[in-house]
Amino acid sequence: MIFGFDLGSRYVKLATLAEDSFNFYRYETIEFYKEFGRKEQDSLVIDFARLGFGETGKIISTGYGRNTVQIQGGQDIPEIKAHVYGARWQTGLEDFTLLDLGGQDSKVVLVRKGRLLDFQTNDKCAASSGRYLENMAAVLGITLEELSKYHEDPIDLSSTCAIFGESEIIGKIIEGHSIASLAAGVNYTIFKRIKPMLSQLLCDKIIFTGGVAHNGALKNIVEKEMQVEVIVPQYPQYNGAIGCCVYGGSLLE
């Protein structure tokens, strides 16, 4: 069995691969480290038995967490590499732009003939991430699922800051703007943050991954504004973990 860990800022995603079959698991990051891991010297020892696995196998990890901790007995690979492997495996495409929006960062990667040509990342600001959407949905008093339905008649929101954006939203509510228009404006704000990166690394197909890929409104916005096909694979949030397994099993060699 191959274990692929994507050590994210909000969640730890685990994909397991055995006999060409994937299984997926997700844990809140803090709870995962508290319940299933312990630090020994410079490595993280994972209690696989407590996770529910009777035996271990090959371990490949990536993500935010790999920069601060190495899983004992495992190999870590760069985050971009894992996501490219995952996107290729999930879609079968070799030429695409990968758009990955996670809990606290965003990545855009240009892939040609299965190889990474160039990439840009933004991990300095949460305004183009899932955390921003969570904050804005809470201010609007709606769920993330409901937020993801709105993309028409957006209110222009000038603040792209995850913190100051809350004050602007509250002001717009007081002015009497509808929740639908405000929600659409929030989704367009995400697009405005990622548009410069997409414009520089654009291909005729965009593979959209990460937890934010569940936002159907944002998918529609990107398709409309960039005039390209946007593909959301079956398991967008587990793409990095899948890529670890694909790399570990040499499935694309």
Side-chain angles (χ1 to χ4, degrees), residues 75-92:
Q75 176 187 357
D76 62 71
I77 62 175
E79 200 172 5
I80 301 295
K81 185 173 187 175
H83 283 276
V84 169
Y85 269 78
R88 290 174 62 200
W89 179 258
Q90 289 204 79
T91 66

Side-chain angles (χ1 to χ4, degrees), residues 60-210:
I60 309 293
S61 65
T62 194
Y64 253 53
R66 76 170 189 87
N67 295 317
T68 56
V69 65
Q70 163 77 45
I71 296 178
Q72 188 177 82
Q75 176 187 357
D76 62 71
I77 62 175
E79 200 172 5
I80 301 295
K81 185 173 187 175
H83 283 276
V84 169
Y85 269 78
R88 290 174 62 200
W89 179 258
Q90 289 204 79
T91 66
L93 295 175
E94 296 288 286
D95 298 278
F96 56 88
T97 295
L98 174 64
L99 169 62
D100 182 82
L101 301 183
Q104 293 186 6
D105 70 331
S106 54
K107 298 179 281 291
V108 176
V109 186
L110 180 61
V111 178
R112 294 288 191 187
K113 296 183 180 180
R115 297 186 179 278
L116 185 156
L117 285 190
D118 199 2
F119 70 91
Q120 293 190 27
T121 64
N122 175 23
D123 59 2
K124 304 301 182 184
C125 174
S128 56
S129 70
R131 176 61 67 88
Y132 171 78
L133 291 176
E134 289 176 0
N135 288 354
M136 296 303 104
V139 174
L140 291 171
I142 59 177
T143 64
L144 282 173
E145 182 179 4
E146 186 175 357
L147 178 68
S148 70
K149 298 176 181 178
Y150 300 111
H151 59 92
E152 296 180 347
D153 191 28
I155 294 295
D156 184 46
L157 300 174
S158 58
S159 176
T160 57
C161 175
I163 302 301
F164 296 115
E166 296 182 15
S167 298
E168 185 177 14
I169 286 285
I170 292 171
K172 297 293 186 182
I173 292 173
I174 293 172
E175 291 173 8
H177 295 285
S178 71
I179 295 298
S181 292
L182 289 169
V186 167
N187 289 322
Y188 259 93
T189 297
I190 291 274
F191 171 72
K192 286 188 290 185
R193 292 286 299 182
I194 61 176
K195 183 179 179 181
M197 293 191 295
L198 284 175
S199 297
Q200 293 184 45
L201 302 175
L202 191 62
C203 190
D204 61 355
K205 289 183 175 61
I206 294 175
I207 299 177
F208 189 7
T209 64

Side-chain angles (χ1 to χ4, degrees), residues 197-233:
M197 293 191 295
L198 284 175
S199 297
Q200 293 184 45
L201 302 175
L202 191 62
C203 190
D204 61 355
K205 289 183 175 61
I206 294 175
I207 299 177
F208 189 7
T209 64
V212 180
H214 291 294
N215 185 318
L218 185 55
K219 174 182 180 293
N220 291 333
I221 291 168
V222 174
E223 283 186 322
K224 174 185 174 183
E225 298 291 340
M226 304 305 297
Q227 293 293 294
V228 297
E229 180 183 4
V230 177
I231 300 165
V232 177

